[in-house]
Amino acid sequence: MFTKKDVVNAILKNSDLNLKEMGSAFAPSNIALCKYWGKRDKELNLPVNSSLSISLGELGSATEIKLSENHFDEIFLNNERVDPESLFYRRAIDFINLIRPSNDLNLKILTFNSIPTAAGLASSASGFAALTMALNDFFGFNLSKEDMSVLARMGSGSACRSIYNGFVKWNKGSNENGLDSYAEFIPVLWSALRIGIVEVTAESKKVGSRNGMNQTVETSRLYKSWPKQAADDLDKIEHAIREKDFQLLGKTAEQNACSMHATMLSGFPPLIYWLPETVAAIHKIHQLRAEGLPLYFTIDAGPNVKILFEEQNTNVVKEQFPKLKIVKPFGS
Ligand code: PMV
């Protein structure tokens, strides 16, 4: 059994400290087209299956780090001081403690999220990725993206994918220490691809993805079919990306998301992230598709629906979903 600290020590053993006045980084949020669902090692956040995501361009977290003028760590989220008693603060500081070279270095961390926190839009992914990259910048460690991906993974699994823009694949790896479980960039530019976010609610969900996935693995009988399904879906999605086959991409991503939710629903207590508005959006997408509009959806551990479509259908999609937040993952 390896601890997080063992992994950090292995990564930092050849890095010197080169403290800067300020460290900063931006990391995009990401949405999985083939989901990470289930851990084979809870301490290190090692996944049961490999996954694949698309980063959300300018939507994400920007983080700045300086030395604190006080004798304690301070965190500000969107200009508001984070309560040191909160889970958010504890998780961030536990993570920083793994990486910080000396306890005398108290930090002031400023984070700005351009996405609602904890609403199923993966703010923890961009948050931990930006924090990892900003710590690397501040301490001057000069780590590779692979190493930063391994570190970010230990903060939040999906954060390992937010180190990159565009399409990103997280290889589950097989080493016990998880040093081979990191994400890598898939060099395909698909500029016509669009993601529309149907924001059903910006409220925090009651069951976080960490507890949700553990509960599913422990109690769902359907879960045993998940690893094989995820592996098959991943192959199809990679193929669809290489060929720019939108129908195959959308169909596979939608089925993958629904299969993940089926495992949640078949655990106990059944885990239902969907709200009535989520289901209404799904029906609407299916209706429009039946009428010939090529659009598909995916949903993470939350109620918000993400619609996949292509640039040429933007106007029709906008008419149907007037409040849709449209993301261009590859910029304009
Ligand atoms: O990284 P976590 O612990 O927030 O888990 C993410 C889980 C899903 O969003 C449902 C799937 C994924 O691959 O992002």
Side-chain angles (χ1 to χ4, degrees):
M1 260 308 260
F2 289 87
T3 63
K4 288 190 175 111
K5 196 67 201 167
D6 295 331
V7 178
V8 171
N9 289 343
I11 288 177
L12 294 183
K13 70 175 189 297
N14 297 321
S15 299
D16 296 323
L17 177 65
N18 271 308
L19 200 65
K20 290 201 344 201
E21 209 161 292
M22 187 175 93
S24 64
F26 171 80
S29 180
N30 76 75
I31 286 181
L33 300 169
C34 178
K35 310 290 184 193
Y36 147 55
W37 196 242
K39 300 176 203 276
R40 63 175 199 273
D41 181 322
K42 290 182 192 160
E43 158 78 8
L44 301 181
N45 276 347
L46 293 176
V48 167
N49 61 285
S50 298
S51 56
L52 191 151
S53 60
I54 175 94
S55 287
L56 293 190
E58 289 169 2
L59 279 192
S61 307
T63 297
E64 284 175 16
I65 302 181
K66 308 182 210 177
L67 282 180
S68 166
E69 283 151 18
N70 300 306
H71 295 292
F72 50 85
D73 296 311
E74 302 169 282
I75 305 181
F76 292 82
L77 176 61
N78 297 335
N79 284 324
E80 280 187 36
R81 183 181 284 277
V82 176
D83 178 0
E85 300 293 317
S86 64
L87 184 65
F88 184 99
Y89 183 93
R90 218 29 295 146
R91 277 185 77 188
I93 299 299
D94 285 349
F95 184 75
I96 291 166
N97 285 343
L98 287 170
I99 295 174
R100 131 168 68 204
S102 150
N103 287 339
D104 299 334
L105 297 169
N106 290 307
L107 305 181
K108 180 171 183 178
I109 295 141
L110 304 173
T111 290
F112 300 89
N113 270 353
S114 47
I115 34 171
T117 304
L121 291 180
S123 62
S124 72
S126 57
F128 276 107
L131 181 58
T132 305
M133 292 193 282
L135 286 167
N136 174 58
D137 188 34
F138 181 62
F139 294 131
F141 287 146
N142 211 5
L143 296 174
S144 66
K145 292 219 168 198
E146 283 85 359
D147 282 345
M148 288 195 280
S149 179
V150 169
L151 292 177
R153 188 200 73 224
M154 295 195 293
S156 170
S158 54
C160 76
R161 298 185 309 236
S162 275
I163 299 289
Y164 308 87
N165 286 311
F167 292 112
V168 182
K169 179 177 170 184
W170 172 11
N171 293 301
K172 66 188 167 92
S174 57
N175 289 350
E176 251 183 86
N177 61 12
L179 284 170
D180 61 348
S181 184
Y182 54 81
E184 54 193 9
F185 170 64
I186 301 177
V188 172
L189 217 90
W190 191 335
S191 37
L193 194 67
R194 296 288 179 272
I195 299 185
I197 300 171
V198 182
E199 199 183 304
V200 166
T201 172
E203 270 176 38
S204 298
K205 55 207 178 198
K206 291 185 188 75
V207 184
S209 46
R210 179 174 301 217
N211 291 338
M213 75 175 79
N214 292 342
Q215 179 181 315
T216 305
V217 174
E218 282 154 25
T219 65
S220 160
R221 290 174 68 176
L222 284 191
Y223 185 78
K224 68 175 187 312
S225 67
W226 169 257
K228 173 85 172 81
Q229 158 121 37
D232 293 349
D233 289 347
L234 187 81
D235 284 348
K236 282 190 207 159
I237 290 176
E238 273 195 279
H239 177 80
I241 290 171
R242 273 198 308 272
E243 300 296 320
K244 298 217 173 108
D245 181 339
F246 179 71
Q247 305 248 351
L248 182 65
L249 180 83
K251 195 173 135 192
T252 315
E254 185 170 310
Q255 193 175 12
N256 182 269
C258 289
S259 305
M260 176 184 76
H261 283 273
T263 69
M264 300 177 191
L265 194 57
S266 58
F268 203 85
L271 189 53
I272 310 174
Y273 284 110
W274 297 359
L275 294 174
E277 297 88 330
T278 314
V279 179
I282 292 174
H283 284 301
K284 189 162 177 179
I285 291 163
H286 284 170
Q287 178 61 37
L288 290 167
R289 199 155 79 213
E291 289 164 14
L293 190 64
L295 77 174
Y296 297 87
F297 70 85
T298 182
I299 305 176
D300 285 305
N304 296 311
V305 179
K306 291 95 178 189
I307 304 180
L308 306 171
F309 61 99
E310 287 184 292
E311 184 185 13
Q312 68 266 29
N313 294 315
T314 303
N315 289 342
V316 199
V317 174
K318 261 190 191 159
E319 268 166 38
Q320 293 295 333
F321 297 90
K323 289 196 214 138
L324 202 67
K325 169 130 189 87
I326 298 179
V327 181
K328 297 178 182 171
F330 297 93
S332 11

